[in-house]
Amino acid sequence: MQISRRQFLGYGLGGAAGSLVGGLGFPSASLAADTIKAGVLLDLSGPLQLYGHVKAQCLELAADEINAKGGLLGKKIELVKYDTQSNNQLYGQYAQQLALKDRVAVVHGAITSAAREVARPVLARAKTLYIMNMINEGPEGACDRNMFTTGPTPQQLLNNLIPYMIKKHGKKVYILAADYIFGQLSAKWAERIAKENGGEVVGLDLFPMDVDKFGSTIGKIQAAKPDFVFNVFVGPAHAAFYGQWASAGMNKRIPMASHTIGDSGEQLRMPPDVSEGIVTVKNYFDELDTPASKAFIERFKKRFADYTYVGSLGVADYQGMLLWAEAVRKAGSVDRRKVIEAFESGIAIDGPSGRLASHPATHYCTMDMYLAEIQNSRFKVQESWKQVPPVSAGDDSCDVLKMSL
């Protein structure tokens, strides 16, 4: 549902969040021997529920489909879910409970890198496999042999997006980013890639995730006169930027690119003139015109009546569950070490976004990528690239295979 510009400027996207919670609660106490338990740590309430709700639905859909085909190793997958309430401290508490009390085989979860860095060391100490189904800041952000990441890295997102914007609009770029690990390192990669392609960064500003007023920043951008703006905004507070940018008339004057726009379907809630023309690169859009994507969206709509938009973050969970299941099948066991070794052997699945293959040395994934522009509140794919690796040649990323288990 679209909202008016007045409503959008008044409360950004936060007002839409309250309707998203429901049916995704606390874990069951079942200890049935005929199930394989998979833990879920996601923000199902609070500001980040805009992302967490659909991600949890995608995990449910994947588990249901695996179970309908006979399950894993002759057993059904049982999801054990905790609502982390957009509170990073709860990630540590619930991660420990999943590992030690619920004794799950794997944990899928975390939306921000800051939350990941609370849960990750807890699960590593408990020797419980961890999968983060998110876009991330790349291997330099977290090097952990116990963790796998199924979303794209900044290199996959930006190696084509930034050169495209430079070629189309000019060399001067102004960067805006969320002020935490993911935003900081994404901004760093955007600056590096811009310079490698003859670009010049004329401004860089970082914002805490609760900032929702950008008047002074817009003034700075006007003074810097960039050829385009690249942003890494995260969450409903930051989404207020787009309405303020349009109200200042800047959306008609300076092009915008972002690799986070649309992660919660916000392009559908923005007035069309606010989002029109924004360019992004992702590994998935609901609008992908492929048989696999169309079939997935139809299955999702049939399973969840509240469908509005899945997006790349939700698909990361769906495909992350399928990739983990493939590793379990290859390992013939849910034993953590054996499943890790199966991931590291180079497994792959074909999902809604295309082929997703594990990248052994980094524990990220090789995947198809798509560049799209928002036109009339929908993503229109302009270009695509097959099987893009998560790191660029010559990157000094850590090699997790050298780490002990």
Side-chain angles (χ1 to χ4, degrees), residues 104 109 117 348:
V104 298
E117 285 308 289

Side-chain angles (χ1 to χ4, degrees), residues 173-176 200-205 224:
V173 55
Y174 201 111
I175 299 173
L176 310 171
E200 174 191 1
V201 176
V202 296
L204 193 161
D205 292 322

